[in-house]
Amino acid sequence: MATLRASISLNSADVLSSPLALTTVSNILCDTGSLTRAKILGVAPGTLANARVVYKANDKTEVAILFIRNLSTEKEKYMYLHEDQEETFAKIPGGSFALIPVEPTKTIYIYGTETDQVAEYGVFGLDSSAVALS
């Protein structure tokens, strides 16, 4: 069994009335993972026809940890995440990233402000041998 160590720090001298310095670390049990860099296929919110799958339902047996980064250099070129037929749950501006624990029974899709935007994404967790990603 492997461990994925995720850490994040939030620091600012002037966002609050006093300095902000938060750091957290999480050790996540996993036995598999992947990292992919791919172009965004679709731009239509709420439709799955041209959306790219970044996580396939039931690929992981427990929580699935999704890392996603918008490689666009322009902030206004957003990437949107949604699950199955549900509403968008994340809007990632160009140059930003997210680390999201996702419900393993839902398929997660991504679409963008424009086609051909490039996303980098990875999924980590305990693999289910019953699901073929093909």
Side-chain angles (χ1 to χ4, degrees):
M1 189 70 55
T3 301
L4 177 69
R5 180 184 163 109
S7 61
I8 190 167
S9 294
L10 302 174
N11 297 286
S12 177
D14 56 2
V15 74
L16 300 174
S17 59
S18 60
L20 173 67
L22 298 173
T23 300
T24 188
V25 175
S26 182
N27 292 313
I28 304 154
L29 289 179
C30 60
D31 57 9
T32 61
S34 65
L35 192 59
T36 303
R37 185 176 283 192
K39 288 186 177 181
I40 300 300
L41 304 173
V43 296
T47 64
L48 304 182
N50 291 319
R52 177 173 292 282
V53 173
V54 294
Y55 173 74
K56 187 174 180 180
N58 300 310
D59 178 48
K60 304 298 178 208
T61 58
E62 295 179 19
V63 70
I65 304 300
L66 172 64
F67 166 80
I68 188 156
R69 181 168 36 183
N70 184 340
L71 295 178
S72 177
T73 57
E74 297 177 41
K75 179 182 175 184
E76 294 77 22
K77 291 189 178 178
Y78 294 99
M79 292 182 178
Y80 304 89
L81 291 170
H82 62 100
E83 60 183 30
D84 298 329
Q85 296 289 341
E86 303 296 322
E87 296 292 320
T88 298
F89 69 86
K91 179 180 178 181
I92 304 166
S96 294
F97 72 94
L99 185 66
I100 305 168
V102 297
E103 170 58 46
T105 62
K106 304 283 187 174
T107 296
I108 307 297
Y109 300 86
I110 186 172
Y111 63 92
T113 304
E114 298 178 356
T115 57
D116 293 336
Q117 288 175 246
V118 179
E120 185 173 63
Y121 57 93
V123 179
F124 304 90
L126 299 174
D127 208 20
S128 171
S129 59
V131 176
L133 294 179
S134 57

